[in-house]
Amino acid sequence: MSSRHTITEPRTVSPSAAPARAPQRPTVRPAPTPAVQPVITAPDWPSRWHLLIPTSLRNTAANLGLWQNPAPLKPSDHLTQTLAVLERYGWCRSLDFSPTGRMCIRGAQTLLERTGHVTPQSRQRAVDYMQHTLNKVTDLPFYAWNDLPDRTFPQVKHLITTSATHARTHGE
């Protein structure tokens, strides 16, 4: 550097020429957005291969990375998916699976368990919630209540929806 550009004294600016500092505002964090709930739909009818392969073999193949099992649902979501299955394939009484493909509550739950959408433990918890809801009205098991001659699908839908809501309030 040349001597002409050497600064010996620090330069100062008059206070009026200094840029005004904006007052610091407290940082406002946006409210946390609730987690997006997946839309629970009825699964497609499983292929024949899926039905023929035993669950233990499917689970072994999934552990080896050769098969993709669906993620098991918690009881409240299982009940919601059970209702979606009944709405998609049709509801019936007296048979778990009718010749036309319709199902009762227990048949829809069995379909979801066999295809890996629910674990046996989560299914049992869902059944416990249904029984708890049903015990306010009758002492019948839910599958016997489903088979009564005067039972209608709106009543079944109400039982499953109320049970799912009850399970959600308990965090399941």
Side-chain angles (χ1 to χ4, degrees):
M1 285 186 121
S2 69
S3 62
R4 302 189 288 192
H5 293 293
T6 306
I7 300 174
T8 56
E9 292 182 22
R11 291 187 181 181
T12 59
V13 178
S14 63
S16 62
R21 230 178 196 186
Q24 289 189 355
R25 297 180 188 163
T27 57
V28 178
R29 294 184 181 173
T33 56
V36 177
Q37 296 292 329
V39 177
I40 298 173
T41 60
D44 291 330
W45 195 262
S47 66
R48 289 198 183 268
W49 286 111
H50 191 96
L51 294 174
L52 291 175
I53 299 172
T55 304
S56 59
L57 186 59
R58 278 198 321 261
N59 290 337
T60 302
N63 291 338
L64 295 173
L66 303 172
W67 183 272
Q68 177 79 30
N69 275 333
L73 298 174
K74 57 186 182 178
S76 60
D77 292 339
H78 168 62
L79 288 166
T80 305
Q81 193 173 35
T82 301
L83 183 59
V85 167
L86 293 175
E87 288 174 339
R88 179 175 179 181
Y89 295 110
W91 170 76
C92 70
R93 53 175 96 80
S94 301
L95 296 170
D96 282 0
F97 299 94
S98 75
T100 59
R102 299 184 318 168
M103 298 169 237
C104 70
I105 299 171
R106 187 170 58 184
Q109 287 185 314
T110 301
L111 171 73
L112 293 172
E113 185 178 347
R114 284 186 183 164
T115 56
H117 287 87
V118 67
T119 62
Q121 296 80 14
S122 292
R123 178 182 176 178
Q124 185 55 50
R125 290 294 301 147
V127 167
D128 292 343
Y129 281 110
M130 275 195 298
Q131 279 305 138
H132 178 72
T133 303
L134 200 55
N135 283 341
K136 296 175 184 175
V137 180
T138 183
D139 289 333
L140 290 173
F142 77 95
Y143 50 86
W145 176 85
N146 180 85
D147 294 344
L148 293 174
D150 59 340
R151 192 64 47 229
T152 62
F153 183 65
Q155 292 170 329
V156 169
K157 186 175 180 177
H158 178 72
L159 169 68
I160 295 172
T161 305
T162 304
S163 302
T165 304
H166 190 236
R168 251 183 226 99
T169 60
H170 284 86
E172 290 193 311

